[in-house]
Amino acid sequence: MSNDRINALISKFNKYNIDGYIIPKNDEFFSEYSSNDRLKAITKFSGSAGYSIILKKKNYLFVDGRYTIQAKKEAGKRFKIIDLHKIINCNLFQNLSIGFDPKIFTSKQIKKFFHKNNKVKSIELNLIDQIHKNKVKSSKPFFSLKNKIAGEDYKTKILKISKYLNKNKSDYLFVTAPENVAWLLNIRGHDNPNSPIPNCQLIIKNKRSFYLISSKYKVSRLINEKKIKSDQVIEPKNFGKFILNLKGKKIIIDKNSCSIFFENILKKKFKILSIEDPIYSLKSLKNKTEIKSMLKAHILDGVALTKFIYWIKNINKKTITEFEAQNKLENFRKKNKDYLYPSFNTIAGTAGNAAIVHYRATKKNTKKIKKKDIFLCDSGGQYKYGTTDVTRTICFSKPKMNIKNIFTRVLKGHIAVVKSNLNKYTSGNLIDIRARKFLKEINLDYQHGTGHGVGFFLNVHEGPQSISKFNKIKIREGMILSNEPGYYKKDKFGIRIENLIYVKKNRNKTYFENLTFAPIDKDLINFDLLTNDEKNYLWKYNLDIYTKLNKYLNPSEKKWLATFIQ
């Protein structure tokens, strides 16, 4: 099927006078997880980041280090796999005319990826959509979050943006990231497979009023509850005409999520101020209500995961597959009435598959979990009041000492992160060094970042904060991040330990607290490599888990969990 689509795409090149066509992972809303995955439709690559360039005789797929192995497996037969960073100023396309859809690219992307000797041509009709009809489920209307869940009224949030606009002497802010619209208006939607995203854009005036760019059907509930008036809703097809009738001179756009299509329309009317959307920073600082709700969601999630770990470590009647294991975990989550759906596609990999950082088992492509395997499970859930993301690595028999030693060094890095003195280690790049320290002592490392920001009942990956080599954003009270160092031995095994943590402040001390409560497999730990402080941390963490979860467990599960604190 992929070959037929590639050939159908190439057959259109002469009509548009192009030598190639570029396909990004993102959709028109620049979402990480989209119902319209054009990149997968052409390449069969299912990872969350990447670009493909199809030429008349060659096909290229650019991915980062997380996805190299996966890309080779899924797309390697028809595509040359190249490191994503090498697409910048790439001479492979020198003097070629490359077509692109201006609705799914920003001017920043085009400038970054293409050398001045490369020619790019804007084509308003998406060529993938012309050869492949995406089966998108009919979307439901947007819905509001109550203040008792959001913790802050949307009107006070809009007031903050109004003050920001006045400070920056701008008439409008164009909010192009749907997750930012969701946060600002305290609304959610059903437009993405793993996040409660309402696909729409928003224009905020400096006088506290706003216009929502969406279909009126999607906004019908908000109109009925008088959160928004009918004349504040702008149909996407009327956007250009609407802009021409706006008064004012300046508008702020974020070039990370404002498409070339929108930017070209706005240029006709306004002086554009290119500034990062301030909502990213505001959204990253969770209020006390959001933190309280996230803790509640994580208790429920911890129960499901703890039951799953007990189950998978104790089954001995038959061998199960990765696919069956991830379905079992999903069933444990579904037992809670407040659980909605996964926050991303579960990564359940055994043995060599666990070394593929974002591996995904399917019913047709799955592997049996053997007793001597190391099994890695990275999963998360969307609850009515929170988003979770957790990874546990599990063994089923006595592991080799070298594996225990590596696992323990990953654990030491994990503990070093959560115990960081945030008055001293003030940004993600400084904390990332602490996470890798113990692996680097034996010349080992991992290619992904140590942690990403996480949204409140929104995207499981959220900025601007992260724990990574180059992120210098100040770590502040209310931020939520993942803490997930790991190690991956190609074709052999993968190890990752991931908790979500949040930043708490007490008097003058700022520190991390765990959100995730699920046991870390003690059978993989070489306790001789742990310091007394690390052992003490682990004991207290396990006691915390038992205290919070034991009332939800059956007697056998409770007895097993109690062994972690003996």
Side-chain angles (χ1 to χ4, degrees):
M1 185 64 74
S2 180
N3 290 350
D4 293 340
R5 290 171 186 166
I6 292 169
N7 292 334
L9 175 63
I10 292 171
S11 70
K12 293 184 176 292
F13 286 4
N14 287 339
K15 178 181 177 180
Y16 293 98
N17 195 25
I18 55 175
D19 302 299
Y21 193 71
I22 181 166
I23 308 149
K25 177 69 179 182
N26 61 269
D27 62 5
E28 290 84 346
F29 297 94
F30 296 88
S31 303
E32 180 178 9
Y33 301 108
S34 169
S35 296
N36 191 0
D37 191 342
R38 298 179 177 97
L39 185 64
K40 185 180 179 182
I42 291 295
T43 66
K44 295 186 178 180
F45 169 65
S46 61
S48 66
Y51 294 86
S52 175
I53 297 181
I54 309 290
L55 301 181
K56 290 177 180 177
K57 293 185 179 180
K58 291 184 179 179
N59 309 317
Y60 298 92
L61 177 60
F62 295 84
V63 297
D64 61 42
R66 296 173 296 168
Y67 293 117
T68 305
I69 299 173
Q70 180 180 342
K72 286 178 180 176
K73 284 193 173 186
E74 293 178 339
K77 289 183 180 179
R78 286 299 309 268
F79 290 81
K80 182 174 177 60
I81 312 301
I82 302 178
D83 186 282
L84 181 61
H85 299 96
K86 292 182 180 178
I87 196 173
I88 300 171
N89 297 338
C90 184
N91 289 324
L92 289 170
F93 317 111
Q94 193 166 350
N95 297 321
L96 297 180
S97 179
I98 307 294
F100 73 96
D101 179 353
K103 289 187 176 73
I104 57 177
F105 279 94
T106 66
S107 56
K108 188 174 180 179
Q109 283 175 310
I110 294 297
K111 286 177 183 176
K112 178 181 179 181
F113 292 147
F114 290 96
H115 192 271
K116 60 185 178 181
N117 290 333
N118 300 138
K119 295 176 285 185
V120 288
K121 184 175 182 180
S122 176
I123 302 171
E124 299 238 342
L125 288 173
N126 189 285
L127 300 192
I128 306 304
D129 293 349
Q130 290 185 46
I131 63 172
H132 168 66
K133 289 188 177 180
N134 182 52
K135 296 178 182 178
V136 179
K137 294 178 182 178
S138 58
S139 184
K140 301 174 184 177
F142 305 154
F143 61 95
S144 289
L145 290 185
K146 293 179 180 179
N147 286 348
K148 67 179 182 180
I149 293 178
E152 183 180 6
D153 187 80
Y154 76 96
K155 291 178 183 177
T156 64
K157 294 181 179 181
I158 289 174
L159 179 59
K160 290 176 184 177
I161 300 301
S162 180
K163 289 179 178 178
Y164 176 87
L165 287 170
N166 288 326
K167 183 180 177 181
N168 284 274
K169 297 179 181 179
S170 181
D171 301 296
Y172 302 95
L173 168 67
F174 185 31
V175 184
T176 40
E179 64 268 28
N180 289 356
V181 180
W183 177 86
L184 187 72
L185 297 184
N186 288 342
I187 63 173
R188 299 295 188 267
H190 306 270
D191 294 331
N192 280 12
N194 299 106
S195 302
I197 294 295
N199 278 349
C200 58
Q201 293 90 15
L202 188 77
I203 289 182
I204 308 173
K205 293 174 69 176
N206 61 4
K207 294 181 180 178
R208 305 185 199 178
S209 60
F210 62 88
Y211 299 97
L212 196 63
I213 294 88
S214 176
S215 70
K216 289 199 175 176
Y217 164 71
K218 289 280 193 74
V219 190
S220 56
R221 279 193 194 176
L222 308 183
I223 293 172
N224 290 339
E225 62 189 34
K226 297 182 180 179
K227 188 169 206 172
I228 186 170
K229 295 178 182 178
S230 183
D231 61 3
Q232 287 178 274
V233 183
I234 311 303
E235 293 279 350
K237 64 181 180 180
N238 298 329
F239 182 79
K241 185 179 178 181
F242 164 74
I243 289 299
L244 291 175
N245 291 324
L246 279 180
K247 294 179 180 178
K249 295 180 180 179
K250 297 178 183 178
I251 189 167
I252 292 173
I253 68 167
D254 188 331
K255 289 198 174 182
N256 291 308
S257 60
C258 182
S259 69
I260 292 171
F261 174 80
F262 279 133
E263 189 177 345
N264 287 341
I265 291 173
L266 294 171
K267 277 179 183 177
K268 296 174 183 177
K269 174 72 178 181
F270 295 106
K271 178 182 178 182
I272 289 179
L273 306 178
S274 180
I275 304 172
E276 184 177 273
D277 186 343
I279 295 173
Y280 283 111
S281 292
L282 292 169
K283 177 163 56 70
S284 72
L285 306 178
K286 310 299 184 283
N287 60 50
K288 290 180 180 179
T289 301
E290 289 173 317
I291 294 293
K292 186 178 179 181
S293 294
M294 285 286 274
L295 278 163
K296 183 180 176 183
H298 277 80
I299 296 297
L300 303 177
D301 204 63
V303 171
L305 187 61
T306 300
K307 284 178 173 288
F308 169 75
I309 295 170
Y310 173 78
W311 171 82
I312 200 168
K313 281 185 74 72
N314 286 281
I315 55 166
N316 52 25
K317 291 181 180 179
K318 66 171 185 174
T319 303
I320 61 163
T321 67
E322 301 160 326
F323 186 71
E324 290 169 335
Q326 69 186 37
N327 285 345
K328 184 70 173 181
L329 175 54
E330 176 72 359
N331 288 335
F332 277 122
R333 284 194 168 107
K334 283 180 177 178
K335 288 180 180 180
N336 191 282
K337 62 181 176 61
D338 291 332
Y339 174 72
L340 298 173
Y341 46 81
S343 56
F344 57 95
N345 291 326
T346 296
I347 300 161
T350 196
N353 285 343
I356 303 170
V357 179
H358 283 195
Y359 169 77
R360 187 188 178 195
T362 63
K363 192 173 184 179
K364 293 181 179 179
N365 179 32
T366 187
K367 190 174 183 179
K368 285 187 176 181
I369 302 170
K370 297 178 181 177
K371 193 172 182 180
K372 291 185 178 181
D373 286 354
I374 303 298
F375 176 68
L376 185 153
C377 187
D378 186 347
S379 67
Q382 294 286 5
Y383 293 79
K384 292 177 181 178
Y385 37 76
T387 303
T388 72
D389 181 6
V390 53
T391 307
R392 288 296 181 264
T393 306
I394 303 164
C395 67
F396 310 102
S397 61
K398 189 175 180 179
K400 293 179 181 178
M401 186 53 72
N402 74 304
I403 290 177
K404 287 183 72 169
N405 289 344
I406 293 171
F407 181 91
T408 306
R409 287 179 180 275
V410 172
L411 176 60
K412 286 168 77 72
H414 175 90
I415 294 171
V417 169
V418 72
K419 288 180 67 66
S420 295
N421 177 353
L422 299 181
N423 292 334
K424 180 180 179 182
Y425 301 100
T426 56
S427 58
N429 63 318
L430 299 176
I431 299 169
D432 187 81
I433 294 169
R434 290 169 58 78
R436 299 175 193 272
K437 175 185 174 184
F438 304 99
L439 284 170
K440 286 198 169 184
E441 286 175 351
I442 55 171
N443 297 315
L444 301 181
D445 200 358
Y446 49 96
Q447 288 186 299
H448 58 77
T450 299
H452 54 83
V454 179
F456 168 70
F457 188 32
L458 271 174
N459 290 337
V460 74
H461 296 143
E462 177 181 283
Q465 78 279 15
S466 72
I467 302 174
S468 58
K469 292 178 181 179
F470 306 108
N471 191 292
K472 296 183 180 180
I473 299 294
K474 182 177 173 60
I475 301 296
R476 297 171 62 191
E477 181 183 6
M479 285 182 170
I480 295 176
L481 297 114
S482 68
N483 170 15
E484 50 181 311
Y487 177 72
Y488 312 91
K489 179 79 171 175
K490 186 180 178 182
D491 297 328
K492 299 294 182 182
F493 62 88
I495 292 167
R496 186 159 67 251
I497 306 169
E498 178 187 17
N499 280 4
L500 295 194
I501 52 181
Y502 71 99
V503 182
K504 193 172 181 178
K505 192 170 185 179
N506 189 5
R507 296 177 183 176
N508 292 324
K509 189 179 179 183
T510 307
Y511 52 95
F512 285 126
E513 286 272 13
N514 279 304
L515 279 170
T516 303
F517 296 100
I520 295 167
D521 195 344
K522 62 182 180 179
D523 296 329
L524 277 163
I525 302 172
N526 179 357
F527 285 90
D528 291 338
L529 291 181
L530 297 180
T531 65
N532 287 334
D533 281 348
E534 289 165 340
K535 290 175 185 176
N536 192 42
Y537 164 83
L538 206 54
W539 184 85
K540 286 182 177 177
Y541 178 60
N542 287 327
L543 180 62
D544 235 4
I545 295 169
Y546 187 84
T547 303
K548 288 177 167 63
L549 305 189
N550 80 87
K551 65 180 179 181
Y552 302 104
L553 305 177
N554 67 37
S556 298
E557 294 162 344
K558 195 182 298 186
K559 185 179 179 180
W560 167 76
L561 188 59
T563 65
F564 284 76
I565 51 176
Q566 291 172 358

